[in-house]
Amino acid sequence: GNSVTQMEGPVTLSEEAFLTINCTYTATGYPSLFWYVQYPGEGLQLLLKATKADDKGSNKGFEATYRKETTSFHLEKGSVQVSDSAVYFCALSDDYKLSFGAGTTVTVRA
Amino acid sequence: EAGVTQFPSHSVIEKGQTVTLRCDPISGHDNLYWYRRVMGKEIKFLLHFVKESKQDESGMPNNRFLAERTGGTYSTLKVQPAELEDSGVYFCASSRQGGPDTQYFGPGTRLTVL
């Protein structure tokens, strides 16, 4: 079946550092790929998505590129802020059903 | 536009008791989903409604779990009787269309079974 593997956390960074969270997937067909974020005390929010190979999703300074050849969708941000502290989930869509990774907790220190 | 709401935000019950979680989707969203995250692991799909009909309940762990969506608006998820392994965060999501349409999530209900 479809599955998502993302790097384990927690990840602790200083402000303005570069952030990468690795995500790889196993899927039949051509799923859409997503990054969701959960800020403290809030629900899951869609951060960005890509629907086909080589698409790049971007939002709030975050980027991820759908790489079919490496089955990856790594999340990157060039300069993180304290407000980026959250749990990040990589996910793929199996038609209507989302399959998530285990989540990566990111803490950014001032 | 109001987002997806869930009630309660937290619930602490003893093993063997019954708990009912509620989800109110975004108005006009026919598709409603339940997911849960157990022990800080991955978020797993439980089931999918289209209006009041269950389209897929393949993720429901066992028959102690019962989901309903009478009238095609809000949904409830009942756990009866609750077991220790049911502890986790239960998320509800809704979307206007099915397929890979963006799903909007609620804040979740944290369930603790003692």
Side-chain angles (χ1 to χ4, degrees), chain A residues 97-108:
Chain A
K97 197 186 303 185
L98 291 173
S99 296
F100 287 88
T104 302
T105 300
V106 174
T107 302
V108 180

Side-chain angles (χ1 to χ4, degrees), chain A residues 32 34 36 38 41-46 49 87 89 93 95-105, chain B residues 33 35 37 40-45 48 55-56 58 91 98-108:
Chain A
S32 294
F34 305 83
Y36 278 83
Q38 185 178 23
E42 299 184 16
L44 288 167
Q45 300 175 23
L46 178 66
K49 69 178 183 181
V87 183
F89 294 90
S93 68
D95 191 12
Y96 51 84
K97 197 186 303 185
L98 291 173
S99 296
F100 287 88
T104 302
T105 300
Chain B
Y33 313 81
Y35 294 85
R37 188 183 190 208
K41 296 185 178 178
E42 64 270 18
I43 300 169
K44 291 195 173 181
F45 168 83
H48 171 214
Q55 293 296 111
D56 180 354
S58 62
F91 292 101
D101 193 25
T102 297
Q103 295 181 22
Y104 296 88
F105 281 77

Side-chain angles (χ1 to χ4, degrees), chain B residues 85-113:
Chain B
E85 64 265 26
D86 301 331
S87 296
V89 181
Y90 290 76
F91 292 101
C92 176
S94 71
S95 65
R96 187 174 300 278
Q97 299 176 1
D101 193 25
T102 297
Q103 295 181 22
Y104 296 88
F105 281 77
T109 293
R110 181 174 295 277
L111 174 64
T112 302
V113 182

Side-chain angles (χ1 to χ4, degrees), chain B residues 36-53:
Chain B
R36 76 171 179 177
R37 188 183 190 208
V38 174
M39 294 291 290
K41 296 185 178 178
E42 64 270 18
I43 300 169
K44 291 195 173 181
F45 168 83
L46 295 178
L47 86 160
H48 171 214
F49 284 99
V50 176
K51 297 185 180 178
E52 66 275 10
S53 299

Side-chain angles (χ1 to χ4, degrees), chain B residues 9-20:
Chain B
S9 56
H10 292 85
S11 180
V12 180
I13 61 173
E14 294 192 351
K15 176 182 171 181
Q17 290 186 321
T18 297
V19 62
T20 300

Side-chain angles (χ1 to χ4, degrees), chain A residues 3 18 33 46 60 62 74-75 99 109:
Chain A
S3 66
F18 184 86
L33 300 175
L46 178 66
K60 298 182 180 181
F62 289 89
H74 304 321
L75 182 69
S99 296
R109 300 194 185 282

